[in-house]
Amino acid sequence: MVSLTFYGGVNEIGGNKILLEDGGTRVFIDFGQPFNFGSGFFTGYLAARGINGLGDYFEFGLVPRLKGLYAAEQLTFTDVSYAKPKFDAVFLSHAHFDHVNHIQFLDPQIPVYLGVGTKLFIEVMEKTSGFCNYREHPYQMFRTGDKLKVGSILVEPIHVDHSIPAAYGFLIHTSEGTIVYTGDLRAHGPRKDMTGEFAEKACASEPVALICEGTRMVEKEKRKNYSEDQVKKLSGAVVSTTDRIVFVARYSRDMDRFRTFYNVAKKSGRQIVVSPKTAYLLSRLVEDRRLDLPDPSKDEHILVYYKRKRSGEFDERDYYIWEREFMDKMVVHESVRKNQRKLVMDLNLYQFAELVDINPDSGSHFIHSMSEPFSEEDIEDQVMHNWLDHFGMCFHQFHASGHMNRQQITDLIGYIKPKRIFPVHTENQHLFKKKFDTAQTTEREKEYKL
Ligand SMILES: [Zn+2]
């Protein structure tokens, strides 16, 4: 008997936690944190207490109360007693927070299966973010096309294109047929061929069920979305026609977008300035040659920006050890100001205070290469525009989404032809239902038998 239980990712974008059981085999597909995690009960300084393990989260039903899943120290102050693992594995589709972040709570004895690149990402997050600790697990790394046997199931990860490298969908062969999981995916990115390959293999497996993401399954899309190629052309036009500095804000781990701006800078004879964090991430990702990314220590088009810290003298001792690696590529606010016309610089909202030191010439450019705000009252958006106005900067919104749009999802489902559909990672499962008779509404913590 095969069943699926959705402990997260239902009627919400992100936070996927899907339990698949086949006889005695029990595995989780993704174990992420919802974007609005705990926001109904915690705000500002009112935060869940780390010291209380999972206690504060259990109180409000924010994390499932399951025995044999969590690390002993997470349960010390809770009414769930520790038990040896009753779960065989967790499979991670990609390294986004909303798919991986709650593995921090898991019993370290539970094996975690993940892509080679995903492992690199989580190691970098642990090293550079200060608040990630995913613990020692028996980590099993995979590549596309591998076949991973766990109990009575066989899992085949197939690469897909998404806004982070090393993203996968899964074909899960069970005793009652194949269940396909899309993970997060798109068909308009630089590696749409990978999504195509996934779709073909998914179709050929004649799946009994499709667990399908629906981030952009919306009635009417209000926000502008471009392809990666369009982002490159539009940004290229801005950079090549100005003699001012161009700042760009992008998601820190979207390496396609990094590559886009790197190429735009290079083509117009500029250098790209990145943070030590991005330099460190690149220095690790070059280990995976398939990702085809430049080495920040060797590439002459990359410079690394060091903020003024404690001593004010850019002394080595002011920086973390992992940050020091790139000090021979160092630029500081003064050199950025002097060389404005020769630079494209990564700068997200949280680093805007650097603008006070850099003091860019009026008429400089800022390309916002991330999602547009969800509402017009978005406070961060207002703050961002206040800064841009203050420094007389021109604003541009160029972004390519990491997800398929409604038509593409509909086409994908039509092509794969699953017997049943379980929409996840969406707020609009009724739109799946509208189009496909077989669509199954999923409900949190309810078990669905195949
Ligand atoms: Zn994602």
Side-chain angles (χ1 to χ4, degrees):
M1 195 193 73
V2 176
S3 71
L4 290 167
T5 310
F6 298 83
Y7 288 99
V10 173
N11 296 322
E12 61 183 344
I13 294 176
N16 291 15
K17 286 189 186 82
I18 306 161
L19 175 63
L20 188 157
E21 294 174 273
D22 184 359
T25 303
R26 307 171 88 199
V27 301
F28 265 100
I29 314 295
D30 281 336
F31 210 73
Q33 172 175 317
F35 286 114
N36 59 354
F37 184 59
S39 61
F41 298 96
F42 301 112
T43 178
Y45 290 112
L46 174 57
R49 297 163 297 172
I51 187 73
N52 204 31
L54 283 165
D56 293 0
Y57 297 131
F58 283 161
E59 175 70 26
F60 302 106
L62 298 169
V63 170
R65 280 167 179 273
L66 292 169
K67 256 198 156 174
L69 183 61
Y70 302 113
E73 79 262 21
Q74 294 293 335
L75 301 171
T76 314
F77 303 104
T78 73
D79 56 3
V80 176
S81 55
Y82 176 77
K84 282 206 171 125
K86 294 184 192 324
F87 298 84
D88 301 291
V90 174
F91 284 84
L92 301 178
S93 60
H94 61 287
H96 278 151
F97 252 51
D98 58 323
H99 292 255
V100 308
N101 201 39
H102 282 180
I103 66 167
Q104 63 182 298
F105 302 131
L106 294 178
D107 191 320
Q109 295 179 65
I110 298 176
V112 174
Y113 289 73
L114 74 186
V116 174
T118 302
K119 183 72 166 59
L120 285 175
F121 272 109
I122 72 169
E123 280 171 16
V124 171
M125 280 149 77
E126 283 181 314
K127 185 115 180 180
T128 64
S129 79
F131 55 84
C132 292
N133 178 6
Y134 295 122
R135 298 164 189 286
E136 290 303 313
H137 284 275
Y139 282 109
Q140 312 278 344
M141 267 101 78
F142 59 67
R143 290 221 182 250
T144 190
D146 283 353
K147 292 188 169 67
L148 312 155
K149 179 97 177 133
V150 176
S152 56
I153 63 168
L154 186 75
V155 180
E156 239 183 296
I158 309 290
H159 51 199
V160 294
D161 191 17
H162 184 39
S163 46
I164 188 167
Y168 295 84
F170 296 125
L171 311 187
I172 308 160
H173 307 290
T174 74
S175 58
E176 289 183 34
T178 300
I179 298 172
V180 174
Y181 175 58
T182 59
D184 287 351
L185 77 184
R186 64 178 170 187
H188 58 275
R191 294 308 310 268
K192 53 180 177 254
D193 59 307
M194 300 198 299
T195 301
E197 193 184 322
F198 167 75
E200 262 173 43
K201 292 197 164 137
C203 171
S205 73
E206 299 182 7
V208 289
L210 174 68
I211 306 167
C212 187
E213 76 120 320
T215 313
R216 290 173 70 195
M217 203 67 175
V218 288
E219 205 71 62
K220 201 168 181 282
E221 200 140 31
K222 293 189 199 91
R223 300 188 281 174
K224 247 182 274 155
N225 260 302
Y226 297 110
S227 67
E228 196 65 41
D229 215 36
Q230 285 170 309
V231 172
K232 191 173 170 187
K233 283 200 184 98
L234 291 162
S235 308
V238 171
V239 174
S240 62
T241 55
T242 182
D243 59 358
R244 306 286 154 96
I245 190 167
V246 179
F247 294 100
V248 298
R250 57 176 182 87
Y251 293 109
S252 59
R253 297 182 295 151
D254 184 340
M255 303 323 285
D256 290 328
R257 196 59 42 81
F258 168 78
R259 200 185 288 106
T260 293
F261 288 120
Y262 167 84
N263 285 328
V264 162
K266 204 167 153 180
K267 199 170 167 197
S268 47
R270 296 187 184 220
Q271 287 172 298
I272 188 160
V273 181
V274 300
S275 65
K277 218 173 198 174
T278 295
Y280 183 78
L281 176 62
L282 282 168
S283 74
R284 292 298 313 275
L285 292 178
V286 291
E287 286 172 29
D288 189 342
R289 270 201 243 126
R290 294 187 197 194
L291 297 180
D292 186 28
L293 288 163
D295 185 338
S297 305
K298 296 187 188 134
D299 194 296
E300 58 184 12
H301 299 280
I302 300 177
L303 296 170
V304 183
Y305 183 81
Y306 283 79
K307 290 182 187 181
R308 189 153 48 89
K309 286 198 183 172
R310 270 165 291 178
S311 75
E313 288 170 1
F314 305 97
D315 193 280
E316 194 176 83
R317 282 167 304 173
D318 290 350
Y319 302 95
Y320 295 113
I321 292 167
W322 60 265
E323 289 182 294
R324 296 177 194 167
E325 227 178 278
F326 313 100
M327 291 188 99
D328 55 349
K329 304 292 285 297
M330 179 193 280
V331 278
V332 302
H333 58 91
E334 283 163 349
S335 36
V336 170
R337 187 165 57 234
K338 259 188 233 144
N339 296 297
Q340 291 185 53
R341 62 176 59 214
K342 297 179 193 152
L343 303 174
V344 169
M345 180 169 174
D346 253 2
L347 195 79
N348 69 36
L349 179 66
Y350 304 120
Q351 301 159 336
F352 266 26
E354 297 308 310
L355 289 171
V356 175
D357 290 356
I358 295 170
N359 191 18
D361 290 340
S362 179
S364 298
H365 294 265
F366 179 77
I367 300 175
H368 187 256
S369 196
M370 307 168 83
S371 293
E372 290 174 62
F374 285 89
S375 86
E376 277 169 26
E377 280 92 52
D378 189 286
I379 291 175
E380 289 200 344
D381 187 59
Q382 285 174 19
V383 169
M384 180 180 79
H385 281 282
N386 290 345
W387 278 78
L388 298 179
D389 292 347
H390 177 84
F391 287 102
M393 291 162 75
C394 315
F395 174 81
H396 310 272
Q397 170 67 37
F398 305 146
H399 181 53
S401 166
H403 303 271
M404 286 186 165
N405 64 26
R406 185 177 174 180
Q407 188 58 50
Q408 291 165 329
I409 293 169
T410 307
D411 292 347
L412 178 74
I413 297 172
Y415 175 73
I416 295 178
K417 293 190 197 67
K419 286 215 177 71
R420 287 166 80 179
I421 301 161
F422 294 93
V424 290
H425 211 278
T426 179
E427 288 169 341
N428 293 308
Q429 21 177 308
H430 65 280
L431 295 178
F432 283 81
K433 211 155 189 181
K434 229 175 179 174
K435 183 85 193 172
F436 300 98
D437 308 338
T438 50
Q440 176 89 36
T441 304
T442 54
E443 208 176 290
R444 214 174 163 133
E445 305 215 6
K446 184 180 160 188
E447 185 180 301
Y448 293 89
K449 297 197 167 59
L450 284 193

mmCIF file of all heavy atoms in Angstrom, residues 11 32 39 77 116 138 151 155 173 214 250 407 427:
data_model
loop_
_atom_site.group_PDB
_atom_site.id
_atom_site.type_symbol
_atom_site.label_atom_id
_atom_site.label_comp_id
_atom_site.label_asym_id
_atom_site.label_seq_id
_atom_site.Cartn_x
_atom_site.Cartn_y
_atom_site.Cartn_z
ATOM 1 N N ASN A 11 -1.495 24.556 0.032
ATOM 2 C CA ASN A 11 -2.127 25.884 0.083
ATOM 3 C C ASN A 11 -1.160 26.966 0.550
ATOM 4 O O ASN A 11 -1.561 27.955 1.161
ATOM 5 C CB ASN A 11 -3.374 25.869 0.984
ATOM 6 C CG ASN A 11 -4.443 24.958 0.412
ATOM 7 O OD1 ASN A 11 -4.625 24.911 -0.818
ATOM 8 N ND2 ASN A 11 -5.101 24.204 1.254
ATOM 9 N N GLY A 32 11.254 21.493 4.058
ATOM 10 C CA GLY A 32 11.564 22.927 4.016
ATOM 11 C C GLY A 32 10.812 23.756 5.034
ATOM 12 O O GLY A 32 9.973 23.262 5.785
ATOM 13 N N SER A 39 4.810 33.357 11.362
ATOM 14 C CA SER A 39 4.549 34.809 11.383
ATOM 15 C C SER A 39 3.245 35.155 12.104
ATOM 16 O O SER A 39 3.048 36.294 12.501
ATOM 17 C CB SER A 39 4.539 35.379 9.969
ATOM 18 O OG SER A 39 3.512 34.776 9.219
ATOM 19 N N PHE A 77 12.424 19.556 25.876
ATOM 20 C CA PHE A 77 11.391 20.276 26.652
ATOM 21 C C PHE A 77 9.996 20.133 26.038
ATOM 22 O O PHE A 77 9.146 20.991 26.203
ATOM 23 C CB PHE A 77 11.782 21.760 26.756
ATOM 24 C CG PHE A 77 13.136 21.961 27.370
ATOM 25 C CD1 PHE A 77 14.235 22.291 26.578
ATOM 26 C CD2 PHE A 77 13.315 21.789 28.742
ATOM 27 C CE1 PHE A 77 15.493 22.461 27.155
ATOM 28 C CE2 PHE A 77 14.577 21.956 29.316
ATOM 29 C CZ PHE A 77 15.663 22.288 28.512
ATOM 30 N N VAL A 116 24.838 16.728 -5.734
ATOM 31 C CA VAL A 116 26.215 17.109 -5.418
ATOM 32 C C VAL A 116 26.295 18.625 -5.196
ATOM 33 O O VAL A 116 26.885 19.102 -4.230
ATOM 34 C CB VAL A 116 27.165 16.684 -6.573
ATOM 35 C CG1 VAL A 116 28.573 17.194 -6.344
ATOM 36 C CG2 VAL A 116 27.146 15.165 -6.737
ATOM 37 N N PRO A 138 24.133 11.043 7.545
ATOM 38 C CA PRO A 138 24.715 10.260 6.468
ATOM 39 C C PRO A 138 24.220 10.890 5.154
ATOM 40 O O PRO A 138 23.092 10.661 4.743
ATOM 41 C CB PRO A 138 24.111 8.862 6.677
ATOM 42 C CG PRO A 138 23.450 8.895 8.018
ATOM 43 C CD PRO A 138 23.104 10.335 8.301
ATOM 44 N N GLY A 151 14.596 0.885 0.769
ATOM 45 C CA GLY A 151 13.507 -0.051 1.080
ATOM 46 C C GLY A 151 12.851 -0.530 -0.205
ATOM 47 O O GLY A 151 13.527 -0.979 -1.134
ATOM 48 N N VAL A 155 14.328 5.688 -6.309
ATOM 49 C CA VAL A 155 14.174 7.107 -6.651
ATOM 50 C C VAL A 155 15.173 7.482 -7.742
ATOM 51 O O VAL A 155 16.366 7.199 -7.631
ATOM 52 C CB VAL A 155 14.399 7.996 -5.402
ATOM 53 C CG1 VAL A 155 14.237 9.478 -5.753
ATOM 54 C CG2 VAL A 155 13.418 7.614 -4.295
ATOM 55 N N HIS A 173 9.719 5.293 -8.045
ATOM 56 C CA HIS A 173 9.079 4.033 -8.452
ATOM 57 C C HIS A 173 8.660 3.276 -7.200
ATOM 58 O O HIS A 173 9.503 2.900 -6.385
ATOM 59 C CB HIS A 173 10.035 3.215 -9.311
ATOM 60 C CG HIS A 173 10.586 4.007 -10.483
ATOM 61 N ND1 HIS A 173 9.801 4.375 -11.558
ATOM 62 C CD2 HIS A 173 11.816 4.533 -10.719
ATOM 63 C CE1 HIS A 173 10.540 5.086 -12.417
ATOM 64 N NE2 HIS A 173 11.770 5.200 -11.931
ATOM 65 N N GLY A 214 3.057 24.805 -8.151
ATOM 66 C CA GLY A 214 2.180 25.751 -8.837
ATOM 67 C C GLY A 214 2.362 27.176 -8.355
ATOM 68 O O GLY A 214 1.400 27.914 -8.204
ATOM 69 N N ARG A 250 20.103 40.921 -6.790
ATOM 70 C CA ARG A 250 19.590 39.635 -7.265
ATOM 71 C C ARG A 250 19.571 38.675 -6.081
ATOM 72 O O ARG A 250 20.175 38.963 -5.038
ATOM 73 C CB ARG A 250 20.480 39.072 -8.380
ATOM 74 C CG ARG A 250 21.905 38.922 -7.924
ATOM 75 C CD ARG A 250 22.844 38.293 -8.910
ATOM 76 N NE ARG A 250 24.143 38.189 -8.270
ATOM 77 C CZ ARG A 250 24.531 37.157 -7.505
ATOM 78 N NH1 ARG A 250 23.747 36.105 -7.340
ATOM 79 N NH2 ARG A 250 25.696 37.158 -6.896
ATOM 80 N N GLN A 407 0.315 28.649 -18.025
ATOM 81 C CA GLN A 407 0.192 27.913 -19.287
ATOM 82 C C GLN A 407 1.223 26.786 -19.363
ATOM 83 O O GLN A 407 0.917 25.667 -19.789
ATOM 84 C CB GLN A 407 0.371 28.885 -20.468
ATOM 85 C CG GLN A 407 0.077 28.265 -21.824
ATOM 86 C CD GLN A 407 -1.347 27.702 -21.901
ATOM 87 O OE1 GLN A 407 -2.302 28.388 -21.567
ATOM 88 N NE2 GLN A 407 -1.477 26.435 -22.303
ATOM 89 N N GLU A 427 -0.916 28.614 -3.922
ATOM 90 C CA GLU A 427 -2.051 29.090 -3.135
ATOM 91 C C GLU A 427 -3.340 28.899 -3.915
ATOM 92 O O GLU A 427 -4.411 29.275 -3.469
ATOM 93 C CB GLU A 427 -1.848 30.574 -2.793
ATOM 94 C CG GLU A 427 -0.752 30.762 -1.753
ATOM 95 C CD GLU A 427 -0.327 32.207 -1.566
ATOM 96 O OE1 GLU A 427 -0.604 33.029 -2.461
ATOM 97 O OE2 GLU A 427 0.289 32.496 -0.542
#
